């Protein structure tokens, strides 16, 4: 994922339910480590005004846990697909659209999913910082 996103200046993270705090933490880590303009929105909020920010230069990382939060994110994923957005889905691969890049995670309780969801996103933040020579591995 770091190779995919290392040249972007802006990125959006989104999630619903238990995955929304993961989206916020991922945005924070990307800002802290890579000086990237990262914005986190709940899926519900994203569909309002912030949706207009999404274009080919502003990819979206969607965190989809199994359960109610992942189901609530489905309309967001559908709208992102209709817009042709560059979406990387982290979590439940069943939530993905065919054009999404997917980082699948093992199926666990929705309440425990954030523990697993943040791991690839922390690794992304580290790898992007290293790719930009902001840190040394």
């Amino acid at each position: 994922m770091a190779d995919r996103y290392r040249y972007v200046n802006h990125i959006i993270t989104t999630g619903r339910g238990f995955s929304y705090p993961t989206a916020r933490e991922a945005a924070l880590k990307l800002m802290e480590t890579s000086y990237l303009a990262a914005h986190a929105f709940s899926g519900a909020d994203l569909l309002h005004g912030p949706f207009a920010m999404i274009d080919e230069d502003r990819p979206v990382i969607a965190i989809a846990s199994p359960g109610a939060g992942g189901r609530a994110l489905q309309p967001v994923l559908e709208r992102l697909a209709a817009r042709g957005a560059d979406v990387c889905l982290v979590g439940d691969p069943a939530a993905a659209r065919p054009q999404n890049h997917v980082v699948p995670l093992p199926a666990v309780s929705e309440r425990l999913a954030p523990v697993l969801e943040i791991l690839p996103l922390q690794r992304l933040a580290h790898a992007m910082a290293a790719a930009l020579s902001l840190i040394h591995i």
Side-chain angles (χ1 to χ4, degrees), residues 8-69:
V8 300
N9 293 317
H10 303 88
I11 200 162
I12 293 172
T13 61
T14 189
R16 292 292 308 263
F18 289 102
S19 296
Y20 175 53
T22 305
R24 293 191 54 85
E25 178 65 13
L28 179 64
K29 290 299 173 216
L30 290 166
M31 287 187 286
E32 289 174 336
T33 60
S34 302
Y35 309 121
L36 184 64
H39 302 279
F41 298 100
S42 82
D45 291 340
L46 180 63
L47 288 181
H48 296 14
F51 193 78
M53 294 189 327
I54 298 168
D55 59 26
E56 62 277 353
D57 295 325
R58 197 174 317 247
V60 177
I61 296 175
I63 299 99
S65 61

Side-chain angles (χ1 to χ4, degrees), residues 80-97:
L80 290 168
R83 189 169 186 103
D86 178 345
V87 176
C88 177
L89 183 117
V90 174
D92 183 7
R97 298 295 180 267

